[in-house]
Amino acid sequence: MALSKSSNTYGRTSWEDSEFPILCPTCLGDNPYVRMMKEKFGSECKICVRPFTTFRWCPGARMRFKKTEICQTCAKLKNVCQTCLLDLEYGLPIQVRDQALNIKDNIAKSDVNKEYFIQNAEKQLSATDHGVPGAAGGPGKSHPPSDLLMKLARTAPYYRRNLPHICSFWVKGECKRGEECPYRHEKPTDPDDPLADQNIKDRYYGTNDPVAEKLMRRAATLPRLDAPEDKSITTLYVGNIGEKMLEKELRDHFYQYGEIRSITIVSRQQCAFVTYVTRSAAELAAEGTFNKLIIQNRRLVIRWGKSQGKQNVPGTTNTEAGARFEPVPGLPRALPHPEELEHNFFNLAPTTSAFPSPYPQFAPPTYPLMAPPPPNPSPNQPELPGFLTEGQSGIHYPSQDPTRLGAINKTRQT
């Protein structure tokens, strides 16, 4: 190409020179004092093959060095990072963003048309600071946010993407650097994994991107928030609000769905309960905030509140869905009411005590008394032990059996 750095210096004035790169928070790293190495016209853009100013830096400790891969003109056309080529607003691949926002790609791909398109794009970029009209950078601001993008978007940087590559010598068992090796000593992933084969041009043009296909499959299996059958429930549970969340911030966001009756914040549990006046307003709020609401860089958890009127029926177990099941057999049953308890703890037969108590419920258990045998017993009546009388039950415990101590019952003489 005529604008290529390797061919000649024709059109050198159109080569790109910049003072700072266009980067996402993940690629920039968490170090606020990052130091960059700048090289004017250091390499060619991987998309338009024009020389541009490259930047190289280390995003953090134990991370690999990163550098810019495409020029700023190509990055502005798609509103992407110059290094990872992910969307700057949502942190998602271009293919996912374009499908969610219904953006049609009209960027030229052939060499001749690409050069003409880039020249016109630079003129439009110099005239405005809001991107190129009709490109992804421009409509990205004018298009309304998509529910799919709000669900898939990252709320915090993902710094694991900056980890060093895997040491190939360690995989073969030949690395002699040990802890001083700047590469990772980990087992590589499956070579048949589609994520192991990524192309920078496919990522930029939004075609055959394995990362985008993985996210689209995940979007198809996202959970849904179904409204409860009880129409009296108008309360939403809001979790992960943090310790510094104010009631005014919640009210300013949830009031757009309907009139709010009350907002209760539980700071210890880091949650809140938003109660609406009508059920329709609560349903609109649940649909509009489930897996989408982000306040203070925190993705809030939205759930339906539970009914306070329903209570468990004795002998059954209530689940969150409201279904009732019989108790599992074999488990201990519930303790009986104190009034249902009988004060016969040893299962003794009812007997009459010679010393009645004015408080029968607190009286100690009674035991049979020793008495002489009745006079003139019937010849057919069996002989009772000496310590039992008629009308009393038999032996309850082995220790009450006199035969264990050697006692012998003698037949009475008539």
Side-chain angles (χ1 to χ4, degrees):
M1 177 184 281
L3 298 181
S4 175
K5 179 182 178 182
S6 60
S7 59
N8 50 39
T9 59
Y10 171 76
R12 190 182 182 94
T13 56
S14 63
W15 293 1
E16 185 178 276
D17 185 14
S18 57
E19 295 296 333
F20 196 82
I22 300 176
L23 302 174
C24 63
T26 300
C27 293
L28 187 59
D30 58 347
N31 184 10
Y33 306 104
V34 61
R35 301 176 62 181
M36 292 188 176
M37 292 174 286
K38 174 182 175 182
E39 184 179 2
K40 194 174 183 178
F41 311 137
S43 63
E44 297 178 353
C45 176
K46 300 294 181 61
I47 304 300
C48 64
V49 202
R50 293 189 311 158
F52 72 104
T53 301
T54 59
F55 295 86
R56 189 172 183 268
W57 71 99
C58 182
R62 305 292 298 177
M63 300 294 179
R64 72 175 187 272
F65 275 82
K66 310 193 76 173
K67 65 183 184 70
T68 52
E69 303 291 345
I70 62 175
C71 64
Q72 291 195 4
T73 302
C74 295
K76 292 178 181 178
L77 288 175
K78 290 284 191 175
N79 192 33
V80 296
C81 173
Q82 283 188 261
T83 300
C84 64
L85 276 70
L86 296 179
D87 185 75
L88 292 174
E89 185 176 356
Y90 301 103
L92 298 174
I94 299 175
Q95 183 175 347
V96 176
R97 183 199 64 189
D98 292 352
Q99 290 184 8
L101 298 179
N102 295 325
I103 298 177
K104 295 183 179 180
D105 186 11
N106 57 353
I107 296 180
K109 299 181 181 181
S110 63
D111 294 342
V112 178
N113 294 337
K114 187 189 305 181
E115 180 179 351
Y116 177 76
F117 182 85
I118 293 296
Q119 290 178 356
N120 293 337
E122 281 189 337
K123 295 179 181 179
Q124 297 180 10
L125 286 173
S126 60
T128 178
D129 295 334
H130 302 287
V132 180
K141 303 296 183 180
S142 60
H143 278 65
S146 172
D147 295 344
L148 178 62
L149 296 181
M150 296 298 295
K151 293 178 181 179
L152 297 178
R154 287 189 178 274
T155 59
Y158 184 65
Y159 295 123
R160 285 186 56 85
R161 203 168 63 212
N162 301 331
L163 291 176
H165 296 293
I166 296 177
C167 180
S168 59
F169 289 91
W170 182 83
V171 174
K172 295 183 293 184
E174 300 177 358
C175 183
K176 301 179 181 180
R177 296 183 178 183
E179 296 181 356
E180 297 179 356
C181 183
Y183 299 95
R184 282 187 298 164
H185 287 182
E186 296 180 4
K187 185 178 179 181
T189 58
D190 186 6
D192 297 333
D193 188 2
L195 297 179
D197 185 15
Q198 300 184 32
N199 187 280
I200 190 171
K201 290 189 176 181
D202 291 343
R203 170 73 60 81
Y204 184 80
Y205 292 113
T207 57
N208 301 325
D209 188 359
V211 179
E213 294 176 357
K214 177 183 177 181
L215 291 176
M216 296 303 293
R217 290 194 300 268
R218 182 189 302 176
T221 60
L222 286 177
R224 299 175 53 187
L225 183 62
D226 297 329
E229 298 180 357
D230 189 359
K231 298 298 183 179
S232 63
I233 299 178
T234 61
T235 302
L236 295 181
Y237 166 84
V238 184
N240 193 30
I241 63 175
E243 299 179 355
K244 299 181 180 180
M245 185 74 65
L246 301 178
E247 179 181 348
K248 182 179 182 301
E249 296 178 339
L250 294 176
R251 185 177 296 275
D252 291 344
H253 185 84
F254 283 95
Y255 191 77
Q256 60 181 319
Y257 301 104
E259 185 177 356
I260 297 176
R261 176 173 296 171
S262 64
I263 295 180
T264 305
I265 296 180
V266 185
S267 301
R268 178 177 298 180
Q269 303 295 334
Q270 296 188 5
C271 65
F273 297 91
V274 181
T275 304
Y276 284 90
V277 176
T278 60
R279 173 60 180 262
S280 59
E283 293 180 355
L284 289 176
E287 182 181 357
T289 58
F290 180 67
N291 280 348
K292 307 173 190 176
L293 182 56
I294 300 175
I295 300 179
Q296 296 182 356
N297 294 329
R298 302 174 69 96
R299 184 184 294 274
L300 304 187
V301 179
I302 306 298
R303 297 287 187 272
W304 278 98
K306 297 182 180 179
S307 176
Q308 301 295 331
K310 291 185 177 181
Q311 298 181 356
N312 294 348
V313 179
T316 61
T317 303
N318 291 351
T319 61
E320 295 183 358
R324 295 178 179 176
F325 302 95
E326 295 297 329
V328 180
L331 296 179
R333 64 181 181 87
L335 294 176
H337 195 270
E339 297 179 357
E340 301 177 2
L341 291 175
E342 298 179 359
H343 298 283
N344 188 6
F345 300 103
F346 298 98
N347 296 325
L348 298 176
T351 56
T352 58
S353 175
F355 306 98
S357 173
Y359 305 97
Q361 64 272 22
F362 299 106
T366 57
Y367 298 95
L369 301 176
M370 299 294 293
N376 300 328
S378 173
N380 297 329
Q381 183 178 1
E383 184 70 21
L384 295 175
F387 62 92
L388 293 179
T389 60
E390 293 184 6
Q392 296 184 354
S393 59
I395 298 173
H396 295 282
Y397 297 98
S399 60
Q400 297 177 345
D401 187 1
T403 59
R404 295 183 60 195
L405 303 177
I408 300 176
N409 293 333
K410 297 181 179 180
T411 307
R412 287 192 291 270
Q413 307 256 341
T414 58

